[in-house]
Amino acid sequence: MLAVRRIRPDEGPVLRATRLAALADAPGESTTTLARAQAHDDDHWTSSAAANASGPLQATFFAEADEAERAEPIGLVGAYANRSGVVNLVGLWSAPGYRDIGVATALIDAVAAWAVSGGHTRLRLWVVERNEYARRFYEQAGFSSTGTSMPYEPDPRISQVEMVLEL
Ligand SMILES: CC(C)(COP(=O)(O)OP(=O)(O)OC[C@H]1O[C@@H](n2cnc3c(N)ncnc32)[C@H](O)[C@@H]1OP(=O)(O)O)[C@@H](O)C(=O)NCCC(=O)NCCS
């Protein structure tokens, strides 16, 4: 069974472990690198969990399987709102072994519901151009490319493209 829930304020260690697992599994798909994430101290993860656990400005969601099957989260997404009503979606990841069963779709649905309840009107993300699988996935989820691209900061030779979904 799949369940999605918002992070709890005391889950800094879970956030760290899940983020590092995502970055180790899919290097080059996120806005940061594994080395940079590993360099953060415990305070970083503690305050990040607390900041994302409540309120309309930023949120992190975990996807979970039955605890008997796997205690660690099987998916993760982060979101933060701009003043203009746009919610940026970052770090979407589902764990290998739990793909193509709707984990990422459920995470996006959770972000969309949270965004709407906060009065936001649009989801936005950046995806590296060569990640055709993710781009197709986002299109199926209703996102469309805006035509805007920019260099991917950890490796500026790579381009990333902007996609949006009106809520
Ligand atoms: C891209 C990524 C997030 C997709 O995650 P996922 O959990 O496999 O996605 P979903 O299962 O929700 O959707 C994948 C496919 O399964 C299908 N699906 C969704 N729910 C389903 C269900 N209940 N049963 C069967 N299939 C389902 C979807 O329709 C989709 O197929 P489609 O793309 O042909 O429409 C995942 O591959 C990943 O983590 N990749 C590495 C990191 C990455 O690239 N992240 C994106 C950074 S921008």
Side-chain angles (χ1 to χ4, degrees), residues 22 25-26 29-30 91-95 98-106 125-128 131 133-134 136-138 140-141:
D25 167 60
E29 307 305 347
S30 196
L92 180 66
W93 175 75
S94 58
Y98 294 89
R99 293 199 174 141
D100 292 338
I101 56 168
V103 170
T105 304
L125 59 88
W126 294 91
V127 54
V128 293
N131 192 347
Y133 182 83
R136 224 176 25 248
F137 162 76
Y138 288 127
Q140 302 272 359

